[in-house]
Amino acid sequence: GTLVEMKCRQRPWTHFFARAAALCDGKLDETKASLFVQTVRGPPCETALQAVLNRVPDAARESLMQLLDEIGFERGVCSEVASVSLFEDSKNALQELRAHGVKLGD
């Protein structure tokens, strides 16, 4: 199940990829870009840029950077992250998993 809740859903990644797809004349697969960011670590803006540029190498980096600024991407990501909290029963569930030798994350 889900361990955390996000109280402030702004969906900056979804908005960025939708607008980036339009900038790239529809050549960007938004689903693949979203999967990319779930498996890569790094600063949000750089990760978002790489998700697009790795799939559409001829995309205009400067235009994408301008788009990130225009939609307040980093601010949206920070707001979402700041609004994440554990559900009340998550701590117990994590302790139970740990007691059984299961480790989540790094």
Side-chain angles (χ1 to χ4, degrees), residues 2-77:
T2 303
L3 298 173
V4 298
E5 68 177 320
M6 183 181 300
K7 294 180 176 130
C8 176
R9 288 194 170 270
Q10 296 185 9
R11 302 193 187 286
W13 297 95
T14 302
H15 295 301
F16 174 68
F17 291 140
R19 298 272 304 271
L23 279 177
C24 297
D25 298 322
K27 292 188 250 179
L28 177 66
D29 182 330
E30 296 171 53
T31 301
K32 288 183 180 177
S34 293
L35 291 172
F36 174 85
V37 300
Q38 293 176 34
T39 61
V40 173
R41 288 183 178 216
C45 286
E46 189 57 37
T47 301
L49 286 171
Q50 288 308 310
V52 175
L53 294 171
N54 285 353
R55 276 141 197 81
V56 187
D58 62 338
R61 184 181 180 90
E62 289 300 319
S63 295
L64 293 169
M65 290 173 57
Q66 182 178 0
L67 175 58
L68 289 167
D69 284 340
E70 184 181 305
I71 67 171
F73 178 80
E74 193 162 352
R75 185 175 55 253
V77 171

Side-chain angles (χ1 to χ4, degrees), residues 57-105:
D58 62 338
R61 184 181 180 90
E62 289 300 319
S63 295
L64 293 169
M65 290 173 57
Q66 182 178 0
L67 175 58
L68 289 167
D69 284 340
E70 184 181 305
I71 67 171
F73 178 80
E74 193 162 352
R75 185 175 55 253
V77 171
C78 289
S79 292
E80 281 194 340
V81 169
S83 77
V84 171
S85 62
L86 285 173
F87 282 117
E88 199 169 302
D89 61 346
S90 294
K91 186 175 179 182
N92 291 338
L94 290 169
Q95 288 172 335
E96 188 70 26
L97 288 169
R98 183 174 287 152
H100 287 89
V102 177
K103 180 181 176 190
L104 303 175

